[in-house]
Amino acid sequence: MEALSTAVAAASVLSAGFIAYRELSEVASSRHMEVAYRLFEELNSPQNIDARRWIFQNLNGNPEDEIKTMTQEGRSAIKQVLNSLDHVAFLTQAGWIPDDVIMPWMHPMIAKSWKKLKPFVLHERTRRHAPYYYQNIDQLAIRCVNWRSKHIPNTEVTWIEDAL
């Protein structure tokens, strides 16, 4: 009787542990889906799509010259995308959501945006004497590049005219 009682207690503990593990897995999965949804909404908002399109079509990588003649529309587009990328960097901090969940659909937007914006951010950091200016985007871009090189080797950013 004592052995049977011990076996039942052990089975109960193991069952409870398994149920707790499953519940924690479901909570983590639910949290990842919520973060992924917020990222998708952020990056695919009409304002961010329009701002990225302006950046892709108008920035040529020479911040000293381009800033002098930039329109308010251009300044707003740059600020919109930088703020969006900073928000994405915050939501994807190490450990909050696995890169393999978000990078397959997110990497093109980040890589292309950062390729155009990086010279401007570096210029502003120097000009403002603010090495922390949009610093979190650096780590996000590095993670994006590393993911791309691991999963899509020899990939280059391609610029096309009249993209959808």
Side-chain angles (χ1 to χ4, degrees):
M1 191 63 129
E2 201 174 297
L4 181 60
S5 175
T6 303
V8 169
S12 296
V13 168
L14 288 174
S15 296
F18 178 73
I19 290 170
Y21 171 77
R22 295 274 303 182
E23 286 182 16
L24 287 174
S25 293
E26 288 178 22
V27 166
S29 178
S30 179
R31 186 188 73 207
H32 291 161
M33 290 303 296
E34 177 62 28
V35 171
Y37 177 77
R38 289 181 65 193
L39 292 168
F40 188 85
E41 289 289 309
E42 175 80 27
L43 289 170
N44 290 298
S45 73
Q47 299 88 353
N48 282 324
I49 290 170
D50 290 343
R52 281 195 310 271
R53 178 171 284 124
W54 187 94
I55 287 167
F56 298 162
Q57 293 174 348
N58 293 286
L59 293 185
N60 297 311
N62 188 347
E64 283 191 40
D65 292 340
E66 292 179 61
I67 288 173
K68 292 175 187 173
T69 60
M70 190 173 292
T71 64
Q72 185 57 43
E73 177 190 18
R75 291 175 188 279
S76 295
I78 289 172
K79 203 66 172 165
Q80 174 75 33
V81 173
L82 286 174
N83 287 341
S84 176
L85 291 178
D86 205 34
H87 187 219
V88 168
F90 173 75
L91 290 174
T92 61
Q93 295 179 69
W96 284 23
I97 187 167
D99 281 351
D100 287 336
V101 171
I102 54 173
M103 286 297 176
W105 59 268
M106 195 171 77
H107 75 89
M109 292 175 268
I110 295 168
K112 289 176 84 171
S113 298
W114 191 240
K115 187 158 183 83
K116 290 283 189 167
L117 290 171
K118 184 178 180 179
F120 290 84
V121 171
L122 296 177
H123 176 73
E124 283 296 302
R125 284 179 187 166
T126 301
R127 195 168 77 121
R128 294 171 182 231
H129 304 286
Y132 49 82
Y133 182 77
Y134 289 111
Q135 186 176 16
N136 291 334
I137 301 172
D138 287 337
Q139 286 103 24
L140 175 63
I142 289 167
R143 285 180 27 232
C144 180
V145 167
N146 290 341
W147 188 91
R148 284 169 64 99
S149 65
K150 179 180 175 186
H151 294 88
I152 310 168
N154 303 320
T155 187
E156 292 285 326
V157 172
T158 303
W159 305 105
I160 60 172
E161 295 292 322
D162 301 324
L164 295 179

